[in-house]
Amino acid sequence: MNFSTKLLHWYKYNHRDLPWRNTQNPYLIWISEIILQQTRVNQGYQYYLRFIEKFPDVQTLAKAEEEDVLKLWQGLGYYSRARNIYYAAQQIISDFNGVFPSDYHDIIKLKGIGNYSASAIASFAFKQCYPVIDGNVLRVISRIYGISTPIDIDKGKKEVLSILKTLIDEQNPDIFNQAIMELGAMVCLPQNPKCETCPLNALCFATSNKIMHDFPVKTKKINQRSRFFYYLVIRLTYNNTEFVYLNKRTNNDIWKNMYDFPLIESEKEMDVAEDISFEIEKILKSNNYNLKKVSRMYRHQLTHQAISAYFFDIKITTPLAETTNFIMVPSSEINIYPIPKLVDNYLKDNCV
Ligand code: SF4
Protein backbone atom coordinates (compact mmCIF):
# COMPACT_ATOMS: atom_id res chain seq x y z
CA MET A 1 0.00 0.00 0.00
CA ASN A 2 1.22 3.50 -0.74
CA PHE A 3 1.24 6.52 1.59
CA SER A 4 -2.27 7.72 0.82
CA THR A 5 -3.91 4.28 0.92
CA LYS A 6 -2.33 3.45 4.27
CA LEU A 7 -3.30 6.82 5.70
CA LEU A 8 -6.93 6.69 4.54
CA HIS A 9 -7.31 3.12 5.73
CA TRP A 10 -6.02 4.06 9.18
CA TYR A 11 -8.32 7.11 9.31
CA LYS A 12 -11.39 5.09 8.41
CA TYR A 13 -11.09 2.99 11.58
CA ASN A 14 -9.41 5.38 13.98
CA HIS A 15 -10.70 8.94 13.62
CA ARG A 16 -12.55 10.83 16.30
CA ASP A 17 -16.18 11.54 15.60
CA LEU A 18 -16.33 15.34 15.73
CA PRO A 19 -19.43 17.31 14.73
CA TRP A 20 -17.73 19.43 12.07
CA ARG A 21 -16.59 16.26 10.30
CA ASN A 22 -20.16 15.20 9.55
CA THR A 23 -21.01 18.17 7.41
CA GLN A 24 -20.11 19.75 4.10
CA ASN A 25 -21.62 23.06 5.11
CA PRO A 26 -18.79 25.57 4.46
CA TYR A 27 -20.05 27.94 7.16
CA LEU A 28 -19.86 25.27 9.87
CA ILE A 29 -16.49 24.05 8.61
CA TRP A 30 -15.17 27.61 8.59
CA ILE A 31 -16.26 28.30 12.17
CA SER A 32 -14.78 25.01 13.41
CA GLU A 33 -11.47 25.60 11.62
CA ILE A 34 -11.07 29.10 13.02
CA ILE A 35 -11.96 27.97 16.55
CA LEU A 36 -9.52 25.07 16.34
CA GLN A 37 -6.59 27.28 15.35
CA GLN A 38 -4.46 27.60 18.48
CA THR A 39 -7.12 25.79 20.50
CA ARG A 40 -7.25 22.15 21.58
CA VAL A 41 -10.21 20.11 20.34
CA ASN A 42 -11.47 19.45 23.89
CA GLN A 43 -11.65 23.15 24.65
CA GLY A 44 -12.91 24.21 21.22
CA TYR A 45 -15.71 21.64 21.11
CA GLN A 46 -18.07 23.44 23.53
CA TYR A 47 -17.28 26.84 22.04
CA TYR A 48 -18.15 25.50 18.59
CA LEU A 49 -21.50 24.11 19.76
CA ARG A 50 -22.40 27.36 21.53
CA PHE A 51 -21.31 29.46 18.55
CA ILE A 52 -23.37 27.63 15.95
CA GLU A 53 -26.35 27.50 18.27
CA LYS A 54 -26.34 31.29 18.61
CA PHE A 55 -25.19 32.02 15.04
CA PRO A 56 -26.41 29.07 12.94
CA ASP A 57 -25.66 30.70 9.60
CA VAL A 58 -23.76 33.55 8.04
CA GLN A 59 -26.84 35.79 7.87
CA THR A 60 -27.41 35.58 11.64
CA LEU A 61 -23.74 36.23 12.31
CA ALA A 62 -23.57 39.22 9.99
CA LYS A 63 -26.56 40.83 11.70
CA ALA A 64 -25.18 40.33 15.23
CA GLU A 65 -23.38 42.93 17.33
CA GLU A 66 -19.60 42.53 17.38
CA GLU A 67 -19.68 42.57 21.18
CA ASP A 68 -22.00 39.53 21.22
CA VAL A 69 -19.52 37.63 19.07
CA LEU A 70 -16.61 38.61 21.33
CA LYS A 71 -18.61 37.66 24.41
CA LEU A 72 -19.20 34.18 23.03
CA TRP A 73 -15.49 33.92 22.29
CA GLN A 74 -14.50 34.98 25.80
CA GLY A 75 -11.88 32.64 27.28
CA LEU A 76 -10.75 31.21 23.93
CA GLY A 77 -8.05 33.86 23.41
CA TYR A 78 -6.70 35.16 20.10
CA TYR A 79 -9.70 37.46 19.84
CA SER A 80 -8.72 38.75 16.42
CA ARG A 81 -10.16 35.44 15.18
CA ALA A 82 -13.61 36.43 16.45
CA ARG A 83 -13.38 39.93 15.00
CA ASN A 84 -12.26 38.54 11.64
CA ILE A 85 -15.09 36.01 11.57
CA TYR A 86 -17.51 38.82 12.19
CA TYR A 87 -16.05 41.03 9.43
CA ALA A 88 -15.85 38.10 7.00
CA ALA A 89 -19.56 37.41 7.55
CA GLN A 90 -20.28 40.99 6.39
CA GLN A 91 -18.02 40.39 3.36
CA ILE A 92 -19.96 37.24 2.42
CA ILE A 93 -23.20 39.24 2.54
CA SER A 94 -21.86 42.22 0.57
CA ASP A 95 -19.47 40.57 -1.91
CA PHE A 96 -20.98 37.10 -2.40
CA ASN A 97 -24.74 37.76 -2.04
CA GLY A 98 -24.80 35.94 1.28
CA VAL A 99 -23.58 32.67 -0.22
CA PHE A 100 -20.35 31.21 1.12
CA PRO A 101 -17.85 31.28 -1.77
CA SER A 102 -16.96 27.87 -3.15
CA ASP A 103 -13.69 28.65 -4.91
CA TYR A 104 -10.38 28.63 -3.05
CA HIS A 105 -9.36 31.99 -4.57
CA ASP A 106 -12.57 33.62 -3.33
CA ILE A 107 -12.45 31.93 0.06
CA ILE A 108 -8.96 33.26 0.72
CA LYS A 109 -10.19 36.82 0.13
CA LEU A 110 -12.26 36.64 3.31
CA LYS A 111 -10.87 38.44 6.33
CA GLY A 112 -8.84 36.20 8.62
CA ILE A 113 -8.63 33.33 6.16
CA GLY A 114 -5.15 32.28 5.10
CA ASN A 115 -3.82 29.34 3.14
CA TYR A 116 -4.58 26.84 5.86
CA SER A 117 -8.26 27.74 6.38
CA ALA A 118 -8.92 28.27 2.66
CA SER A 119 -7.48 24.83 1.85
CA ALA A 120 -9.46 23.23 4.66
CA ILE A 121 -12.77 24.79 3.57
CA ALA A 122 -12.15 24.23 -0.16
CA SER A 123 -11.31 20.56 0.37
CA PHE A 124 -13.75 19.63 3.19
CA ALA A 125 -16.78 21.44 1.79
CA PHE A 126 -16.11 21.43 -1.96
CA LYS A 127 -13.66 18.53 -2.50
CA GLN A 128 -11.11 20.80 -4.13
CA CYS A 129 -7.59 19.44 -4.21
CA TYR A 130 -5.71 21.78 -1.86
CA PRO A 131 -3.43 20.25 0.79
CA VAL A 132 -3.78 21.70 4.28
CA ILE A 133 -0.65 22.59 6.19
CA ASP A 134 -0.89 23.08 9.93
CA GLY A 135 1.55 22.28 12.74
CA ASN A 136 0.47 18.63 12.82
CA VAL A 137 0.95 18.16 9.09
CA LEU A 138 4.35 19.87 9.13
CA ARG A 139 5.50 17.55 11.89
CA VAL A 140 4.28 14.37 10.17
CA ILE A 141 5.79 15.18 6.79
CA SER A 142 9.05 16.50 8.17
CA ARG A 143 9.55 13.28 10.15
CA ILE A 144 8.55 10.91 7.38
CA TYR A 145 10.72 12.65 4.79
CA GLY A 146 13.51 13.75 7.17
CA ILE A 147 13.20 17.38 6.06
CA SER A 148 16.20 19.34 7.32
CA THR A 149 14.94 22.75 6.15
CA PRO A 150 13.35 24.56 9.10
CA ILE A 151 9.56 24.34 8.83
CA ASP A 152 9.03 27.78 10.36
CA ILE A 153 10.43 29.56 7.30
CA ASP A 154 8.77 29.78 3.87
CA LYS A 155 11.31 27.48 2.22
CA GLY A 156 10.49 24.66 4.64
CA LYS A 157 6.74 25.13 4.23
CA LYS A 158 7.09 25.13 0.43
CA GLU A 159 9.06 21.90 0.61
CA VAL A 160 6.29 20.27 2.64
CA LEU A 161 3.64 21.64 0.28
CA SER A 162 5.32 20.23 -2.81
CA ILE A 163 5.53 16.80 -1.14
CA LEU A 164 1.86 16.95 -0.14
CA LYS A 165 0.85 17.79 -3.71
CA THR A 166 2.36 14.51 -4.85
CA LEU A 167 0.64 12.56 -2.06
CA ILE A 168 -2.88 14.00 -1.84
CA ASP A 169 -5.67 11.68 -2.94
CA GLU A 170 -7.33 13.55 -5.80
CA GLN A 171 -10.60 11.66 -5.39
CA ASN A 172 -10.72 12.25 -1.64
CA PRO A 173 -8.76 15.41 -0.85
CA ASP A 174 -11.11 16.10 2.08
CA ILE A 175 -10.46 12.75 3.75
CA PHE A 176 -6.74 12.88 2.99
CA ASN A 177 -6.44 16.29 4.67
CA GLN A 178 -8.52 15.23 7.68
CA ALA A 179 -6.50 12.05 7.98
CA ILE A 180 -3.04 13.58 7.97
CA MET A 181 -4.08 16.20 10.53
CA GLU A 182 -5.64 13.49 12.67
CA LEU A 183 -2.49 11.39 12.48
CA GLY A 184 -0.47 14.36 13.75
CA ALA A 185 -2.96 15.01 16.55
CA MET A 186 -3.38 11.40 17.69
CA VAL A 187 -0.25 9.43 16.74
CA CYS A 188 2.68 11.55 15.58
CA LEU A 189 2.73 13.55 18.80
CA PRO A 190 5.37 16.24 19.41
CA GLN A 191 6.96 14.61 22.48
CA ASN A 192 6.06 10.92 22.40
CA PRO A 193 5.11 9.80 18.90
CA LYS A 194 3.39 6.41 18.88
CA CYS A 195 5.54 5.00 16.09
CA GLU A 196 4.79 1.37 16.85
CA THR A 197 1.11 1.86 15.98
CA CYS A 198 1.63 4.41 13.21
CA PRO A 199 0.32 3.27 9.81
CA LEU A 200 3.21 5.06 8.09
CA ASN A 201 6.08 3.74 10.20
CA ALA A 202 7.49 1.61 7.38
CA LEU A 203 7.86 4.78 5.27
CA CYS A 204 9.19 7.04 8.00
CA PHE A 205 12.75 8.33 7.87
CA ALA A 206 12.74 9.60 11.46
CA THR A 207 11.55 6.41 13.13
CA SER A 208 13.74 4.13 11.05
CA ASN A 209 16.74 6.19 12.25
CA LYS A 210 15.33 6.66 15.77
CA ILE A 211 15.61 10.45 15.49
CA MET A 212 11.94 11.42 15.78
CA HIS A 213 12.78 14.19 18.23
CA ASP A 214 15.12 15.86 15.75
CA PHE A 215 12.08 16.80 13.64
CA PRO A 216 10.57 19.15 12.79
CA VAL A 217 13.61 21.41 12.50
CA LYS A 218 12.90 24.99 13.59
CA THR A 219 14.93 28.21 13.57
CA LYS A 220 12.98 30.87 15.29
CA LYS A 221 13.00 31.48 18.97
CA ILE A 222 9.89 33.23 20.21
CA ASN A 223 10.74 36.68 21.53
CA GLN A 224 8.85 37.23 24.73
CA ARG A 225 7.71 40.68 25.71
CA SER A 226 7.08 41.36 29.39
CA ARG A 227 4.20 43.66 30.25
CA PHE A 228 3.04 44.83 33.65
CA PHE A 229 -0.62 45.75 34.01
CA TYR A 230 -1.91 47.72 37.00
CA TYR A 231 -5.67 47.69 36.82
CA LEU A 232 -7.79 50.17 38.70
CA VAL A 233 -11.04 48.59 39.85
CA ILE A 234 -12.76 51.87 40.60
CA ARG A 235 -16.01 51.43 42.48
CA LEU A 236 -18.63 54.03 43.19
CA THR A 237 -21.87 53.59 45.10
CA TYR A 238 -24.54 55.76 43.61
CA ASN A 239 -28.32 55.65 44.26
CA ASN A 240 -27.79 52.48 46.33
CA THR A 241 -26.18 50.69 43.39
CA GLU A 242 -22.52 49.84 43.12
CA PHE A 243 -20.92 50.81 39.84
CA VAL A 244 -17.50 50.05 38.44
CA TYR A 245 -15.60 51.70 35.60
CA LEU A 246 -14.75 49.71 32.49
CA ASN A 247 -12.42 50.63 29.66
CA LYS A 248 -13.11 49.65 26.05
CA ARG A 249 -9.83 48.63 24.40
CA THR A 250 -9.92 50.39 21.06
CA ASN A 251 -6.18 50.53 20.32
CA ASN A 252 -4.42 48.14 17.97
CA ASP A 253 -3.35 45.85 20.75
CA ILE A 254 -4.39 42.58 22.35
CA TRP A 255 -8.09 42.23 23.22
CA LYS A 256 -9.21 44.94 20.82
CA ASN A 257 -12.87 45.96 21.35
CA MET A 258 -13.08 43.99 24.58
CA TYR A 259 -13.46 45.55 28.01
CA ASP A 260 -11.11 45.69 30.96
CA PHE A 261 -10.55 48.14 33.80
CA PRO A 262 -8.73 51.49 33.59
CA LEU A 263 -5.14 50.47 33.11
CA ILE A 264 -1.70 51.72 33.99
CA GLU A 265 0.85 49.84 31.97
CA SER A 266 4.59 49.50 32.16
CA GLU A 267 7.35 47.45 30.56
CA LYS A 268 8.98 47.15 34.01
CA GLU A 269 7.61 46.38 37.42
CA MET A 270 6.54 49.62 39.13
CA ASP A 271 6.77 50.69 42.70
CA VAL A 272 3.30 50.54 44.22
CA ALA A 273 3.85 53.18 46.87
CA GLU A 274 5.34 55.83 44.59
CA ASP A 275 4.87 55.27 40.84
CA ILE A 276 1.41 53.74 40.95
CA SER A 277 -0.03 56.27 43.41
CA PHE A 278 1.16 59.03 41.11
CA GLU A 279 -0.47 57.38 38.09
CA ILE A 280 -3.71 56.72 39.98
CA GLU A 281 -3.96 60.41 40.83
CA LYS A 282 -3.49 61.31 37.17
CA ILE A 283 -6.48 59.14 36.23
CA LEU A 284 -8.72 60.08 39.14
CA LYS A 285 -7.75 63.77 38.91
CA SER A 286 -9.32 65.66 41.80
CA ASN A 287 -11.44 62.76 43.07
CA ASN A 288 -10.82 61.65 46.61
CA TYR A 289 -10.20 57.94 46.71
CA ASN A 290 -9.66 55.15 49.13
CA LEU A 291 -7.33 52.32 48.07
CA LYS A 292 -8.94 49.30 49.75
CA LYS A 293 -6.76 46.45 48.56
CA VAL A 294 -4.10 45.41 46.07
CA SER A 295 -4.58 41.94 44.63
CA ARG A 296 -2.01 39.22 44.33
CA MET A 297 -0.16 39.09 41.04
CA TYR A 298 -2.08 37.44 38.18
CA ARG A 299 0.03 36.00 35.39
CA HIS A 300 -1.26 35.62 31.87
CA GLN A 301 0.78 34.02 29.12
CA LEU A 302 0.19 34.83 25.46
CA THR A 303 2.28 33.52 22.58
CA HIS A 304 4.63 36.49 22.49
CA GLN A 305 3.77 38.24 25.71
CA ALA A 306 4.02 37.52 29.42
CA ILE A 307 1.63 39.70 31.38
CA SER A 308 1.88 40.26 35.12
CA ALA A 309 -1.16 42.04 36.49
CA TYR A 310 -2.24 43.58 39.78
CA PHE A 311 -5.70 44.88 40.54
CA PHE A 312 -6.16 47.93 42.75
CA ASP A 313 -9.51 47.98 44.50
CA ILE A 314 -10.39 51.65 44.79
CA LYS A 315 -13.46 53.38 46.22
CA ILE A 316 -14.50 56.84 45.12
CA THR A 317 -17.45 58.89 46.29
CA THR A 318 -18.13 61.10 43.27
CA PRO A 319 -18.24 60.08 39.61
CA LEU A 320 -15.16 60.58 37.45
CA ALA A 321 -15.15 63.58 35.14
CA GLU A 322 -17.09 62.91 31.95
CA THR A 323 -14.07 63.59 29.81
CA THR A 324 -12.55 60.18 30.64
CA ASN A 325 -12.95 57.31 28.19
CA PHE A 326 -14.35 54.92 30.74
CA ILE A 327 -17.91 53.70 31.05
CA MET A 328 -19.65 53.29 34.38
CA VAL A 329 -21.58 50.03 34.64
CA PRO A 330 -23.37 48.36 37.57
CA SER A 331 -20.98 45.83 39.15
CA SER A 332 -23.60 43.13 38.69
CA GLU A 333 -23.54 43.69 34.91
CA ILE A 334 -19.81 43.37 34.17
CA ASN A 335 -20.32 39.90 32.83
CA ILE A 336 -22.54 41.17 30.05
CA TYR A 337 -19.41 42.66 28.45
CA PRO A 338 -16.71 40.69 26.60
CA ILE A 339 -13.74 40.66 28.96
CA PRO A 340 -10.30 39.02 28.69
CA LYS A 341 -9.63 35.85 30.66
CA LEU A 342 -7.12 37.65 32.85
CA VAL A 343 -9.83 40.03 34.10
CA ASP A 344 -12.33 37.19 34.37
CA ASN A 345 -9.89 35.29 36.60
CA TYR A 346 -9.68 38.26 38.94
CA LEU A 347 -13.47 38.65 39.00
CA LYS A 348 -13.88 34.98 39.86
CA ASP A 349 -11.60 35.41 42.89
CA ASN A 350 -13.15 38.70 43.97
CA CYS A 351 -16.84 39.41 44.05
CA VAL A 352 -16.90 42.69 42.20
S1 SF4 B 1 6.47 6.58 12.44
FE1 SF4 B 1 6.53 7.85 14.25
S2 SF4 B 1 7.62 9.72 13.66
FE2 SF4 B 1 7.05 8.63 11.78
S3 SF4 B 1 5.10 9.57 11.18
FE3 SF4 B 1 4.61 7.77 12.38
S4 SF4 B 1 4.41 8.53 14.50
FE4 SF4 B 1 5.46 10.09 13.31
Side-chain angles (χ1 to χ4, degrees), residues 140 143-144 183 187-188 193-195 198 200-201 204 206-207 212:
V140 171
R143 283 175 171 168
I144 292 177
L183 189 79
V187 178
C188 192
K194 301 174 183 169
C195 301
C198 176
L200 302 174
N201 54 15
C204 181
T207 198
M212 295 83 79

Side-chain angles (χ1 to χ4, degrees), residues 35-64:
I35 286 179
L36 292 179
Q37 286 170 13
Q38 288 125 345
T39 302
R40 281 172 285 113
V41 166
N42 285 352
Q43 190 195 8
Y45 191 95
Q46 292 304 327
Y47 277 89
Y48 170 78
L49 295 179
R50 283 200 295 269
F51 197 97
I52 61 165
E53 188 183 0
K54 180 138 191 183
F55 307 118
D57 50 42
V58 74
Q59 283 73 17
T60 322
L61 178 59
K63 274 191 229 143

Side-chain angles (χ1 to χ4, degrees), residues 25-37:
N25 179 329
Y27 172 77
L28 301 180
I29 291 168
W30 171 47
I31 299 299
S32 71
E33 287 305 323
I34 302 296
I35 286 179
L36 292 179
Q37 286 170 13

